[in-house]
Amino acid sequence: MAPRANWKGFLKVSEVTCPVALYTAASTSERISFHVLNRKTGHRIRRQFIDSDTGKPVERDGQVKGYEIGSGDYVILDPEEVASAVPESDKTLSVSAFVGCDEIDDVYFDKPYYLAPADPHAEEAFVLIREGMRAKKVAALAQTVLFRRLRTVLIRAHEAGMIATTLNFDYEVRSAEDAFSEVPEFKIKGEMLDLAKHIIKTKAGRFDPSTFDDRYEAALAQLVKAKAEGRKIEPRKLPRREKVVDLMAALRESARITQADTRTSIPRKRKPTAALKRKAAPARRKAG
């Protein structure tokens, strides 16, 4: 069964247009979720909006949105007024520019979607755009209204289709200077740098998301199963944290461990024993 599209519209590059659809590429819907219950009765609890002054519940038709401009002073907006701020949409992903695939900082990446042709007649134009970007090693920047906001989308060739990633707005991305302002500058060289390079080299691998373990999700599943079966839940022992005192000593120890792991993980050729040599030797014909 084909997945349900989140959005349908048109991808336009200059005068080339084709109908396309966006599909969710990453979702958290499979994660374990909980309901809030009344501990005494076991019944689910229903949420209510309560007036902060009167303490009385406010029904849905009595609720409006408000923006605080001062302490306790709000500008009230009716649903129709909020809806009027939503930009008009022509359902078109209109490509404004092509950029290098590695030109955009990953910090701007928001949410990925699969982009695929929405009509069999659009497949040729879709493949033409996809293969053109793949050949030039570029991505497309396009804009359209998605979920009530005008969003900029980065479109890249991906397998038989494309990936359309919504981008964060510039005002949403915080400056790295604030986070790194207190990081001191050190000149790392000599044996310390050589050891770090050696550790990185021995730990080299490949990106394989199937090996990633969601330990929290697995622990929750085991916890729910144990409680359902009436088994006793043992408190978890917290790991002991050890403070690294000597960085050079820690690097040397890490290098020693990684080197030992490398030796044990690579099987060595065993020398054939005398019995194996006799077994492998070709049989001689007996003289007639």
Side-chain angles (χ1 to χ4, degrees):
M1 183 178 178
R4 182 180 178 182
N6 296 82
W7 178 92
K8 286 187 177 182
F10 298 89
L11 176 62
K12 183 177 181 182
V13 181
S14 190
E15 299 303 315
V16 180
T17 304
C18 63
V20 292
L22 287 176
Y23 301 91
T24 299
S27 173
T28 59
S29 61
E30 297 300 317
R31 292 180 181 175
I32 292 176
S33 60
F34 297 103
H35 297 291
V36 181
L37 308 178
N38 184 329
R39 184 184 291 274
K40 293 182 178 179
T41 64
H43 301 155
R44 286 184 61 180
I45 296 175
R46 182 167 59 90
R47 296 177 184 270
Q48 280 189 319
F49 285 92
I50 306 296
D51 188 294
S52 60
D53 287 343
T54 67
K56 295 181 179 180
V58 180
E59 300 301 326
R60 182 178 291 274
D61 58 0
Q63 301 170 14
V64 293
K65 295 183 181 297
Y67 181 82
E68 189 172 17
I69 57 176
S71 180
D73 188 13
Y74 299 90
V75 173
I76 295 177
L77 297 173
D78 291 322
E80 297 79 13
E81 293 172 324
V82 175
S84 67
V86 178
E88 294 183 4
S89 173
D90 59 0
K91 293 285 187 179
T92 300
L93 272 167
S94 184
V95 174
S96 58
F98 291 98
V99 297
C101 288
D102 58 351
E103 190 173 323
I104 296 180
D105 194 325
D106 291 358
V107 75
Y108 283 92
F109 288 7
D110 177 28
K111 191 173 182 180
Y113 294 89
Y114 292 124
L115 185 67
D119 189 304
H121 300 292
E123 292 173 355
E124 186 177 10
F126 180 88
V127 172
L128 173 66
I129 297 171
R130 182 197 69 202
E131 290 307 301
M133 290 196 298
R134 182 169 282 156
K136 296 293 291 183
K137 297 181 180 180
V138 296
L141 285 173
Q143 284 189 325
T144 193
V145 175
L146 290 174
F147 317 118
R148 301 169 67 89
R149 288 177 180 265
L150 181 65
R151 302 298 303 268
T152 299
V153 179
L154 182 71
I155 302 172
R156 293 165 290 171
H158 181 76
E159 297 182 2
M162 302 183 198
I163 289 284
T165 305
T166 53
L167 300 179
N168 292 315
F169 293 100
D170 190 49
Y171 72 85
E172 294 176 318
V173 177
R174 297 181 178 181
S175 171
E177 293 180 3
D178 298 335
F180 303 148
S181 60
E182 297 184 7
V183 179
E185 292 187 8
F186 287 103
K187 294 291 184 180
I188 306 297
K189 57 184 179 180
E191 184 186 359
M192 186 175 286
L193 184 59
D194 291 338
L195 284 169
K197 290 178 179 179
H198 172 73
I199 294 168
I200 292 170
K201 183 179 179 180
T202 55
K203 286 287 186 180
R206 292 182 177 275
F207 176 72
D208 183 4
S210 66
T211 63
F212 299 165
D213 295 325
D214 190 342
R215 297 185 180 181
Y216 177 66
E217 191 76 5
L220 280 181
Q222 291 296 325
L223 180 62
V224 171
K225 183 180 179 182
K227 291 282 284 187
E229 295 174 353
R231 290 188 278 119
K232 183 181 178 181
I233 307 300
E234 297 292 339
R236 183 179 64 175
K237 294 181 180 180
L238 296 177
R240 185 180 65 178
R241 294 186 178 182
E242 296 184 4
K243 186 178 180 181
V244 177
V245 179
D246 188 340
L247 180 57
M248 180 62 81
L251 282 170
R252 286 172 177 160
E253 179 64 14
S254 297
R256 184 188 67 79
I257 293 172
T258 53
Q259 193 168 9
D261 289 343
T262 304
R263 285 199 300 264
T264 55
S265 62
I266 301 175
R268 297 181 178 180
K269 292 183 179 180
R270 296 176 61 185
K271 293 182 178 180
T273 62
L276 286 173
K277 287 180 178 179
R278 288 195 300 268
K279 191 173 182 180
R284 296 181 179 178
R285 287 188 177 181
K286 291 183 180 181

